[in-house]
Amino acid sequence: MIPTPPAGTVPGNASGGASADRLLLDLAVSDVRQHVYCPRIPYFRLGARLPHRYVTGAMQEGILEHQRTEALEQRRGLRAYGLSDGERSFDVRLRSERLALGGRLDMLISRSSEAIPVEFKNTRAALGLHHKYQLAAYALLAEEQLARPARRAFVYFIPLKHAQVVEITSAVRAYTKRVLNAIRASVAGEQMPDGTRILERCRVCEFLPYCNDRW
């Protein structure tokens, strides 16, 4: 049973399309990434309140690689991103009360005309949709916090030393907001959503024992 929103909920407001007395479930940008990867993951954590391994061994190694990359980035220019100017900030906390959404971004490039979120990824694999919409969520937060548009974002692939641009289009923005609504609807309705159709992901998922319909 999930009779009340968990601690950390924030009120919606008129600009967000919510009535003044409506509470929005507070979400993290990582919830967006996880929902696109498999909608059941944020449901298990937020709805079913199952224990969650926040930092695995692989994740710890990824954190260390992020720290090494951040140290290197502070000595580099912006050529990898095709930019001639911009001020970089690292490990940036972003927050929108209107969206009831927050997260910590690896790097934010601030220019006079735009805000550009950057995420470091310690992988050689191609950009996944879950990472794309994670960046879109950061873009929504960055442009609200900096009061300037975020029309693009970058993924920096650490092993490849390569930055890939992600265009933050109106369609991408709309889908990201639908993801936020879908997470909240599944939690509020106590309805476990369908899992990912990519079964390979299930083999290493910590929540697999709770998905007895996968095999």
PDB file of all heavy atoms in Angstrom, residues 78-83 105-107 109 114 116-121 127 131 135 138 152-157 162-168:
ATOM      1  N   LEU A  78      37.368  23.405 -24.643  1.00  0.00           N
ATOM      2  CA  LEU A  78      36.034  22.960 -25.033  1.00  0.00           C
ATOM      3  C   LEU A  78      35.992  22.418 -26.451  1.00  0.00           C
ATOM      4  O   LEU A  78      34.923  22.262 -27.028  1.00  0.00           O
ATOM      5  CB  LEU A  78      35.045  24.132 -24.884  1.00  0.00           C
ATOM      6  CG  LEU A  78      34.771  24.575 -23.444  1.00  0.00           C
ATOM      7  CD1 LEU A  78      34.051  25.920 -23.437  1.00  0.00           C
ATOM      8  CD2 LEU A  78      33.936  23.530 -22.714  1.00  0.00           C
ATOM      9  N   ARG A  79      37.192  22.130 -27.002  1.00  0.00           N
ATOM     10  CA  ARG A  79      37.233  21.700 -28.403  1.00  0.00           C
ATOM     11  C   ARG A  79      36.454  20.406 -28.623  1.00  0.00           C
ATOM     12  O   ARG A  79      35.861  20.204 -29.677  1.00  0.00           O
ATOM     13  CB  ARG A  79      38.685  21.524 -28.843  1.00  0.00           C
ATOM     14  CG  ARG A  79      38.830  21.281 -30.334  1.00  0.00           C
ATOM     15  CD  ARG A  79      40.253  21.450 -30.789  1.00  0.00           C
ATOM     16  NE  ARG A  79      41.167  20.569 -30.067  1.00  0.00           N
ATOM     17  CZ  ARG A  79      42.482  20.523 -30.268  1.00  0.00           C
ATOM     18  NH1 ARG A  79      43.032  21.336 -31.157  1.00  0.00           N
ATOM     19  NH2 ARG A  79      43.249  19.708 -29.588  1.00  0.00           N
ATOM     20  N   ALA A  80      36.467  19.508 -27.628  1.00  0.00           N
ATOM     21  CA  ALA A  80      35.751  18.235 -27.788  1.00  0.00           C
ATOM     22  C   ALA A  80      34.262  18.451 -28.031  1.00  0.00           C
ATOM     23  O   ALA A  80      33.589  17.587 -28.590  1.00  0.00           O
ATOM     24  CB  ALA A  80      35.952  17.362 -26.544  1.00  0.00           C
ATOM     25  N   TYR A  81      33.756  19.610 -27.608  1.00  0.00           N
ATOM     26  CA  TYR A  81      32.325  19.906 -27.746  1.00  0.00           C
ATOM     27  C   TYR A  81      32.058  20.883 -28.898  1.00  0.00           C
ATOM     28  O   TYR A  81      30.928  21.337 -29.071  1.00  0.00           O
ATOM     29  CB  TYR A  81      31.797  20.487 -26.427  1.00  0.00           C
ATOM     30  CG  TYR A  81      32.122  19.597 -25.259  1.00  0.00           C
ATOM     31  CD1 TYR A  81      33.239  19.853 -24.449  1.00  0.00           C
ATOM     32  CD2 TYR A  81      31.358  18.473 -24.984  1.00  0.00           C
ATOM     33  CE1 TYR A  81      33.564  19.016 -23.389  1.00  0.00           C
ATOM     34  CE2 TYR A  81      31.677  17.630 -23.930  1.00  0.00           C
ATOM     35  CZ  TYR A  81      32.792  17.908 -23.139  1.00  0.00           C
ATOM     36  OH  TYR A  81      33.112  17.067 -22.101  1.00  0.00           O
ATOM     37  N   GLY A  82      33.121  21.217 -29.635  1.00  0.00           N
ATOM     38  CA  GLY A  82      32.955  22.128 -30.759  1.00  0.00           C
ATOM     39  C   GLY A  82      32.620  23.540 -30.345  1.00  0.00           C
ATOM     40  O   GLY A  82      31.968  24.270 -31.097  1.00  0.00           O
ATOM     41  N   LEU A  83      33.054  23.927 -29.137  1.00  0.00           N
ATOM     42  CA  LEU A  83      32.718  25.251 -28.615  1.00  0.00           C
ATOM     43  C   LEU A  83      33.975  26.109 -28.480  1.00  0.00           C
ATOM     44  O   LEU A  83      35.053  25.603 -28.153  1.00  0.00           O
ATOM     45  CB  LEU A  83      32.054  25.124 -27.240  1.00  0.00           C
ATOM     46  CG  LEU A  83      30.753  24.313 -27.189  1.00  0.00           C
ATOM     47  CD1 LEU A  83      30.321  24.107 -25.745  1.00  0.00           C
ATOM     48  CD2 LEU A  83      29.655  25.021 -27.982  1.00  0.00           C
ATOM     49  N   LEU A 105      24.329  16.842 -11.970  1.00  0.00           N
ATOM     50  CA  LEU A 105      24.862  16.747 -13.334  1.00  0.00           C
ATOM     51  C   LEU A 105      26.390  16.744 -13.291  1.00  0.00           C
ATOM     52  O   LEU A 105      27.006  17.488 -12.529  1.00  0.00           O
ATOM     53  CB  LEU A 105      24.352  17.950 -14.141  1.00  0.00           C
ATOM     54  CG  LEU A 105      24.877  18.113 -15.562  1.00  0.00           C
ATOM     55  CD1 LEU A 105      24.387  16.968 -16.448  1.00  0.00           C
ATOM     56  CD2 LEU A 105      24.416  19.459 -16.133  1.00  0.00           C
ATOM     57  N   ASP A 106      27.005  15.929 -14.157  1.00  0.00           N
ATOM     58  CA  ASP A 106      28.469  15.848 -14.176  1.00  0.00           C
ATOM     59  C   ASP A 106      29.105  17.195 -14.521  1.00  0.00           C
ATOM     60  O   ASP A 106      30.052  17.632 -13.870  1.00  0.00           O
ATOM     61  CB  ASP A 106      28.929  14.789 -15.187  1.00  0.00           C
ATOM     62  CG  ASP A 106      28.639  13.384 -14.705  1.00  0.00           C
ATOM     63  OD1 ASP A 106      28.509  13.189 -13.488  1.00  0.00           O
ATOM     64  OD2 ASP A 106      28.529  12.479 -15.556  1.00  0.00           O
ATOM     65  N   MET A 107      28.619  17.818 -15.574  1.00  0.00           N
ATOM     66  CA  MET A 107      29.210  19.094 -15.997  1.00  0.00           C
ATOM     67  C   MET A 107      28.147  19.957 -16.688  1.00  0.00           C
ATOM     68  O   MET A 107      27.309  19.436 -17.432  1.00  0.00           O
ATOM     69  CB  MET A 107      30.387  18.858 -16.958  1.00  0.00           C
ATOM     70  CG  MET A 107      31.143  20.139 -17.325  1.00  0.00           C
ATOM     71  SD  MET A 107      32.687  19.807 -18.227  1.00  0.00           S
ATOM     72  CE  MET A 107      32.069  19.558 -19.905  1.00  0.00           C
ATOM     73  N   ILE A 109      27.888  23.446 -18.999  1.00  0.00           N
ATOM     74  CA  ILE A 109      28.554  24.514 -19.742  1.00  0.00           C
ATOM     75  C   ILE A 109      27.572  25.672 -19.865  1.00  0.00           C
ATOM     76  O   ILE A 109      26.480  25.511 -20.426  1.00  0.00           O
ATOM     77  CB  ILE A 109      28.999  24.039 -21.136  1.00  0.00           C
ATOM     78  CG1 ILE A 109      29.930  22.829 -21.018  1.00  0.00           C
ATOM     79  CG2 ILE A 109      29.685  25.181 -21.896  1.00  0.00           C
ATOM     80  CD1 ILE A 109      30.304  22.220 -22.367  1.00  0.00           C
ATOM     81  N   GLU A 114      22.983  30.036 -24.010  1.00  0.00           N
ATOM     82  CA  GLU A 114      22.446  28.691 -23.782  1.00  0.00           C
ATOM     83  C   GLU A 114      23.115  28.021 -22.594  1.00  0.00           C
ATOM     84  O   GLU A 114      24.189  28.422 -22.146  1.00  0.00           O
ATOM     85  CB  GLU A 114      22.653  27.813 -25.019  1.00  0.00           C
ATOM     86  CG  GLU A 114      24.110  27.606 -25.376  1.00  0.00           C
ATOM     87  CD  GLU A 114      24.323  26.699 -26.582  1.00  0.00           C
ATOM     88  OE1 GLU A 114      23.446  25.873 -26.884  1.00  0.00           O
ATOM     89  OE2 GLU A 114      25.382  26.831 -27.219  1.00  0.00           O
ATOM     90  N   ILE A 116      24.282  24.058 -21.460  1.00  0.00           N
ATOM     91  CA  ILE A 116      24.546  22.771 -22.110  1.00  0.00           C
ATOM     92  C   ILE A 116      24.914  21.734 -21.045  1.00  0.00           C
ATOM     93  O   ILE A 116      26.009  21.778 -20.479  1.00  0.00           O
ATOM     94  CB  ILE A 116      25.695  22.882 -23.130  1.00  0.00           C
ATOM     95  CG1 ILE A 116      25.427  24.007 -24.128  1.00  0.00           C
ATOM     96  CG2 ILE A 116      25.886  21.558 -23.861  1.00  0.00           C
ATOM     97  CD1 ILE A 116      26.575  24.256 -25.098  1.00  0.00           C
ATOM     98  N   PRO A 117      24.022  20.791 -20.754  1.00  0.00           N
ATOM     99  CA  PRO A 117      24.357  19.711 -19.815  1.00  0.00           C
ATOM    100  C   PRO A 117      25.308  18.709 -20.474  1.00  0.00           C
ATOM    101  O   PRO A 117      25.198  18.427 -21.675  1.00  0.00           O
ATOM    102  CB  PRO A 117      23.002  19.055 -19.527  1.00  0.00           C
ATOM    103  CG  PRO A 117      21.967  19.983 -20.071  1.00  0.00           C
ATOM    104  CD  PRO A 117      22.619  20.734 -21.178  1.00  0.00           C
ATOM    105  N   VAL A 118      26.218  18.162 -19.661  1.00  0.00           N
ATOM    106  CA  VAL A 118      27.152  17.145 -20.132  1.00  0.00           C
ATOM    107  C   VAL A 118      27.190  16.026 -19.103  1.00  0.00           C
ATOM    108  O   VAL A 118      27.320  16.274 -17.905  1.00  0.00           O
ATOM    109  CB  VAL A 118      28.576  17.717 -20.315  1.00  0.00           C
ATOM    110  CG1 VAL A 118      29.523  16.614 -20.816  1.00  0.00           C
ATOM    111  CG2 VAL A 118      28.572  18.897 -21.277  1.00  0.00           C
ATOM    112  N   GLU A 119      27.051  14.800 -19.576  1.00  0.00           N
ATOM    113  CA  GLU A 119      27.190  13.633 -18.717  1.00  0.00           C
ATOM    114  C   GLU A 119      28.389  12.811 -19.176  1.00  0.00           C
ATOM    115  O   GLU A 119      28.595  12.610 -20.380  1.00  0.00           O
ATOM    116  CB  GLU A 119      25.932  12.765 -18.794  1.00  0.00           C
ATOM    117  CG  GLU A 119      24.844  13.156 -17.804  1.00  0.00           C
ATOM    118  CD  GLU A 119      25.220  12.789 -16.375  1.00  0.00           C
ATOM    119  OE1 GLU A 119      25.095  11.625 -15.992  1.00  0.00           O
ATOM    120  OE2 GLU A 119      25.631  13.718 -15.645  1.00  0.00           O
ATOM    121  N   PHE A 120      29.188  12.328 -18.223  1.00  0.00           N
ATOM    122  CA  PHE A 120      30.309  11.456 -18.532  1.00  0.00           C
ATOM    123  C   PHE A 120      29.817  10.012 -18.439  1.00  0.00           C
ATOM    124  O   PHE A 120      29.168   9.634 -17.459  1.00  0.00           O
ATOM    125  CB  PHE A 120      31.453  11.669 -17.540  1.00  0.00           C
ATOM    126  CG  PHE A 120      31.934  13.089 -17.435  1.00  0.00           C
ATOM    127  CD1 PHE A 120      32.323  13.615 -16.203  1.00  0.00           C
ATOM    128  CD2 PHE A 120      32.011  13.908 -18.548  1.00  0.00           C
ATOM    129  CE1 PHE A 120      32.775  14.916 -16.091  1.00  0.00           C
ATOM    130  CE2 PHE A 120      32.449  15.223 -18.444  1.00  0.00           C
ATOM    131  CZ  PHE A 120      32.834  15.728 -17.217  1.00  0.00           C
ATOM    132  N   LYS A 121      30.150   9.208 -19.441  1.00  0.00           N
ATOM    133  CA  LYS A 121      29.768   7.801 -19.430  1.00  0.00           C
ATOM    134  C   LYS A 121      31.009   6.942 -19.614  1.00  0.00           C
ATOM    135  O   LYS A 121      31.758   7.122 -20.583  1.00  0.00           O
ATOM    136  CB  LYS A 121      28.761   7.497 -20.554  1.00  0.00           C
ATOM    137  CG  LYS A 121      27.452   8.261 -20.443  1.00  0.00           C
ATOM    138  CD  LYS A 121      26.683   7.908 -19.183  1.00  0.00           C
ATOM    139  CE  LYS A 121      25.364   8.660 -19.114  1.00  0.00           C
ATOM    140  NZ  LYS A 121      24.715   8.488 -17.789  1.00  0.00           N
ATOM    141  N   LEU A 127      25.079   5.251 -27.480  1.00  0.00           N
ATOM    142  CA  LEU A 127      24.170   6.006 -26.625  1.00  0.00           C
ATOM    143  C   LEU A 127      22.805   5.332 -26.579  1.00  0.00           C
ATOM    144  O   LEU A 127      22.181   5.080 -27.620  1.00  0.00           O
ATOM    145  CB  LEU A 127      24.021   7.430 -27.165  1.00  0.00           C
ATOM    146  CG  LEU A 127      23.068   8.337 -26.391  1.00  0.00           C
ATOM    147  CD1 LEU A 127      23.647   8.655 -25.023  1.00  0.00           C
ATOM    148  CD2 LEU A 127      22.795   9.610 -27.177  1.00  0.00           C
ATOM    149  N   HIS A 131      19.868   7.024 -21.595  1.00  0.00           N
ATOM    150  CA  HIS A 131      20.805   8.123 -21.376  1.00  0.00           C
ATOM    151  C   HIS A 131      20.351   9.397 -22.093  1.00  0.00           C
ATOM    152  O   HIS A 131      20.530  10.505 -21.596  1.00  0.00           O
ATOM    153  CB  HIS A 131      22.200   7.720 -21.848  1.00  0.00           C
ATOM    154  CG  HIS A 131      22.829   6.669 -20.980  1.00  0.00           C
ATOM    155  ND1 HIS A 131      23.585   5.630 -21.474  1.00  0.00           N
ATOM    156  CD2 HIS A 131      22.788   6.493 -19.631  1.00  0.00           C
ATOM    157  CE1 HIS A 131      23.995   4.865 -20.470  1.00  0.00           C
ATOM    158  NE2 HIS A 131      23.528   5.364 -19.347  1.00  0.00           N
ATOM    159  N   LEU A 135      19.588  12.974 -20.142  1.00  0.00           N
ATOM    160  CA  LEU A 135      20.116  14.290 -20.513  1.00  0.00           C
ATOM    161  C   LEU A 135      18.997  15.293 -20.762  1.00  0.00           C
ATOM    162  O   LEU A 135      19.129  16.477 -20.432  1.00  0.00           O
ATOM    163  CB  LEU A 135      20.986  14.158 -21.761  1.00  0.00           C
ATOM    164  CG  LEU A 135      22.436  13.781 -21.486  1.00  0.00           C
ATOM    165  CD1 LEU A 135      23.143  13.416 -22.783  1.00  0.00           C
ATOM    166  CD2 LEU A 135      23.167  14.935 -20.797  1.00  0.00           C
ATOM    167  N   TYR A 138      17.913  16.626 -17.497  1.00  0.00           N
ATOM    168  CA  TYR A 138      18.876  17.621 -17.028  1.00  0.00           C
ATOM    169  C   TYR A 138      18.707  18.938 -17.794  1.00  0.00           C
ATOM    170  O   TYR A 138      18.850  20.021 -17.224  1.00  0.00           O
ATOM    171  CB  TYR A 138      20.298  17.107 -17.196  1.00  0.00           C
ATOM    172  CG  TYR A 138      20.765  16.181 -16.109  1.00  0.00           C
ATOM    173  CD1 TYR A 138      21.336  14.952 -16.403  1.00  0.00           C
ATOM    174  CD2 TYR A 138      20.655  16.542 -14.764  1.00  0.00           C
ATOM    175  CE1 TYR A 138      21.773  14.093 -15.404  1.00  0.00           C
ATOM    176  CE2 TYR A 138      21.084  15.688 -13.757  1.00  0.00           C
ATOM    177  CZ  TYR A 138      21.647  14.470 -14.086  1.00  0.00           C
ATOM    178  OH  TYR A 138      22.079  13.634 -13.087  1.00  0.00           O
ATOM    179  N   ARG A 152      20.628  21.680 -26.566  1.00  0.00           N
ATOM    180  CA  ARG A 152      21.462  20.506 -26.840  1.00  0.00           C
ATOM    181  C   ARG A 152      22.178  20.098 -25.562  1.00  0.00           C
ATOM    182  O   ARG A 152      22.308  20.863 -24.607  1.00  0.00           O
ATOM    183  CB  ARG A 152      22.489  20.808 -27.931  1.00  0.00           C
ATOM    184  CG  ARG A 152      23.347  22.026 -27.624  1.00  0.00           C
ATOM    185  CD  ARG A 152      24.358  22.297 -28.718  1.00  0.00           C
ATOM    186  NE  ARG A 152      24.979  23.615 -28.545  1.00  0.00           N
ATOM    187  CZ  ARG A 152      26.056  24.015 -29.197  1.00  0.00           C
ATOM    188  NH1 ARG A 152      26.624  23.215 -30.079  1.00  0.00           N
ATOM    189  NH2 ARG A 152      26.547  25.220 -28.993  1.00  0.00           N
ATOM    190  N   ALA A 153      22.640  18.860 -25.575  1.00  0.00           N
ATOM    191  CA  ALA A 153      23.403  18.322 -24.456  1.00  0.00           C
ATOM    192  C   ALA A 153      24.465  17.409 -25.057  1.00  0.00           C
ATOM    193  O   ALA A 153      24.446  17.110 -26.258  1.00  0.00           O
ATOM    194  CB  ALA A 153      22.497  17.559 -23.498  1.00  0.00           C
ATOM    195  N   PHE A 154      25.402  16.979 -24.208  1.00  0.00           N
ATOM    196  CA  PHE A 154      26.456  16.085 -24.691  1.00  0.00           C
ATOM    197  C   PHE A 154      26.603  14.908 -23.747  1.00  0.00           C
ATOM    198  O   PHE A 154      26.458  15.034 -22.526  1.00  0.00           O
ATOM    199  CB  PHE A 154      27.808  16.811 -24.751  1.00  0.00           C
ATOM    200  CG  PHE A 154      27.960  17.766 -25.906  1.00  0.00           C
ATOM    201  CD1 PHE A 154      27.685  19.117 -25.733  1.00  0.00           C
ATOM    202  CD2 PHE A 154      28.363  17.308 -27.150  1.00  0.00           C
ATOM    203  CE1 PHE A 154      27.826  20.008 -26.788  1.00  0.00           C
ATOM    204  CE2 PHE A 154      28.501  18.184 -28.215  1.00  0.00           C
ATOM    205  CZ  PHE A 154      28.238  19.543 -28.032  1.00  0.00           C
ATOM    206  N   VAL A 155      26.928  13.771 -24.341  1.00  0.00           N
ATOM    207  CA  VAL A 155      27.469  12.636 -23.597  1.00  0.00           C
ATOM    208  C   VAL A 155      28.947  12.554 -23.939  1.00  0.00           C
ATOM    209  O   VAL A 155      29.313  12.553 -25.119  1.00  0.00           O
ATOM    210  CB  VAL A 155      26.774  11.316 -23.984  1.00  0.00           C
ATOM    211  CG1 VAL A 155      27.482  10.135 -23.312  1.00  0.00           C
ATOM    212  CG2 VAL A 155      25.320  11.349 -23.571  1.00  0.00           C
ATOM    213  N   TYR A 156      29.785  12.514 -22.892  1.00  0.00           N
ATOM    214  CA  TYR A 156      31.219  12.353 -23.118  1.00  0.00           C
ATOM    215  C   TYR A 156      31.583  10.914 -22.762  1.00  0.00           C
ATOM    216  O   TYR A 156      31.458  10.494 -21.600  1.00  0.00           O
ATOM    217  CB  TYR A 156      32.032  13.324 -22.272  1.00  0.00           C
ATOM    218  CG  TYR A 156      33.518  13.243 -22.549  1.00  0.00           C
ATOM    219  CD1 TYR A 156      34.074  13.918 -23.635  1.00  0.00           C
ATOM    220  CD2 TYR A 156      34.357  12.479 -21.745  1.00  0.00           C
ATOM    221  CE1 TYR A 156      35.428  13.829 -23.907  1.00  0.00           C
ATOM    222  CE2 TYR A 156      35.715  12.387 -22.011  1.00  0.00           C
ATOM    223  CZ  TYR A 156      36.242  13.063 -23.099  1.00  0.00           C
ATOM    224  OH  TYR A 156      37.584  12.962 -23.373  1.00  0.00           O
ATOM    225  N   PHE A 157      31.974  10.142 -23.774  1.00  0.00           N
ATOM    226  CA  PHE A 157      32.350   8.747 -23.577  1.00  0.00           C
ATOM    227  C   PHE A 157      33.804   8.695 -23.122  1.00  0.00           C
ATOM    228  O   PHE A 157      34.729   8.977 -23.899  1.00  0.00           O
ATOM    229  CB  PHE A 157      32.155   7.961 -24.870  1.00  0.00           C
ATOM    230  CG  PHE A 157      30.706   7.830 -25.274  1.00  0.00           C
ATOM    231  CD1 PHE A 157      30.135   8.723 -26.174  1.00  0.00           C
ATOM    232  CD2 PHE A 157      29.909   6.829 -24.736  1.00  0.00           C
ATOM    233  CE1 PHE A 157      28.797   8.613 -26.541  1.00  0.00           C
ATOM    234  CE2 PHE A 157      28.578   6.712 -25.093  1.00  0.00           C
ATOM    235  CZ  PHE A 157      28.014   7.606 -25.994  1.00  0.00           C
ATOM    236  N   HIS A 162      35.430  10.942 -26.516  1.00  0.00           N
ATOM    237  CA  HIS A 162      34.591  11.477 -27.591  1.00  0.00           C
ATOM    238  C   HIS A 162      33.290  12.022 -27.001  1.00  0.00           C
ATOM    239  O   HIS A 162      32.686  11.387 -26.128  1.00  0.00           O
ATOM    240  CB  HIS A 162      34.273  10.368 -28.597  1.00  0.00           C
ATOM    241  CG  HIS A 162      33.227  10.748 -29.610  1.00  0.00           C
ATOM    242  ND1 HIS A 162      33.463  11.667 -30.613  1.00  0.00           N
ATOM    243  CD2 HIS A 162      31.934  10.343 -29.752  1.00  0.00           C
ATOM    244  CE1 HIS A 162      32.363  11.808 -31.335  1.00  0.00           C
ATOM    245  NE2 HIS A 162      31.425  11.022 -30.845  1.00  0.00           N
ATOM    246  N   ALA A 163      32.880  13.183 -27.489  1.00  0.00           N
ATOM    247  CA  ALA A 163      31.618  13.794 -27.059  1.00  0.00           C
ATOM    248  C   ALA A 163      30.581  13.668 -28.171  1.00  0.00           C
ATOM    249  O   ALA A 163      30.864  13.996 -29.335  1.00  0.00           O
ATOM    250  CB  ALA A 163      31.829  15.263 -26.700  1.00  0.00           C
ATOM    251  N   GLN A 164      29.394  13.203 -27.807  1.00  0.00           N
ATOM    252  CA  GLN A 164      28.293  13.073 -28.767  1.00  0.00           C
ATOM    253  C   GLN A 164      27.176  14.020 -28.380  1.00  0.00           C
ATOM    254  O   GLN A 164      26.739  14.056 -27.231  1.00  0.00           O
ATOM    255  CB  GLN A 164      27.771  11.635 -28.794  1.00  0.00           C
ATOM    256  CG  GLN A 164      26.586  11.447 -29.757  1.00  0.00           C
ATOM    257  CD  GLN A 164      26.107  10.005 -29.800  1.00  0.00           C
ATOM    258  OE1 GLN A 164      26.863   9.085 -29.472  1.00  0.00           O
ATOM    259  NE2 GLN A 164      24.875   9.794 -30.203  1.00  0.00           N
ATOM    260  N   VAL A 165      26.708  14.781 -29.356  1.00  0.00           N
ATOM    261  CA  VAL A 165      25.654  15.744 -29.081  1.00  0.00           C
ATOM    262  C   VAL A 165      24.287  15.066 -29.069  1.00  0.00           C
ATOM    263  O   VAL A 165      24.048  14.098 -29.807  1.00  0.00           O
ATOM    264  CB  VAL A 165      25.672  16.886 -30.126  1.00  0.00           C
ATOM    265  CG1 VAL A 165      25.268  16.385 -31.501  1.00  0.00           C
ATOM    266  CG2 VAL A 165      24.769  18.034 -29.687  1.00  0.00           C
ATOM    267  N   VAL A 166      23.399  15.548 -28.224  1.00  0.00           N
ATOM    268  CA  VAL A 166      22.003  15.112 -28.171  1.00  0.00           C
ATOM    269  C   VAL A 166      21.145  16.361 -28.325  1.00  0.00           C
ATOM    270  O   VAL A 166      21.231  17.286 -27.509  1.00  0.00           O
ATOM    271  CB  VAL A 166      21.682  14.424 -26.831  1.00  0.00           C
ATOM    272  CG1 VAL A 166      20.199  14.086 -26.739  1.00  0.00           C
ATOM    273  CG2 VAL A 166      22.528  13.169 -26.659  1.00  0.00           C
ATOM    274  N   GLU A 167      20.343  16.397 -29.368  1.00  0.00           N
ATOM    275  CA  GLU A 167      19.477  17.546 -29.598  1.00  0.00           C
ATOM    276  C   GLU A 167      18.253  17.450 -28.670  1.00  0.00           C
ATOM    277  O   GLU A 167      17.590  16.410 -28.608  1.00  0.00           O
ATOM    278  CB  GLU A 167      19.012  17.591 -31.055  1.00  0.00           C
ATOM    279  CG  GLU A 167      20.151  17.676 -32.071  1.00  0.00           C
ATOM    280  CD  GLU A 167      20.908  18.998 -32.000  1.00  0.00           C
ATOM    281  OE1 GLU A 167      20.333  19.968 -31.455  1.00  0.00           O
ATOM    282  OE2 GLU A 167      22.061  19.047 -32.476  1.00  0.00           O
ATOM    283  N   ILE A 168      17.982  18.536 -27.972  1.00  0.00           N
ATOM    284  CA  ILE A 168      16.834  18.567 -27.057  1.00  0.00           C
ATOM    285  C   ILE A 168      15.669  19.222 -27.797  1.00  0.00           C
ATOM    286  O   ILE A 168      15.435  20.427 -27.710  1.00  0.00           O
ATOM    287  CB  ILE A 168      17.176  19.331 -25.764  1.00  0.00           C
ATOM    288  CG1 ILE A 168      18.476  18.801 -25.166  1.00  0.00           C
ATOM    289  CG2 ILE A 168      16.033  19.197 -24.759  1.00  0.00           C
ATOM    290  CD1 ILE A 168      18.449  17.324 -24.780  1.00  0.00           C
TER     291      ILE A 168
END
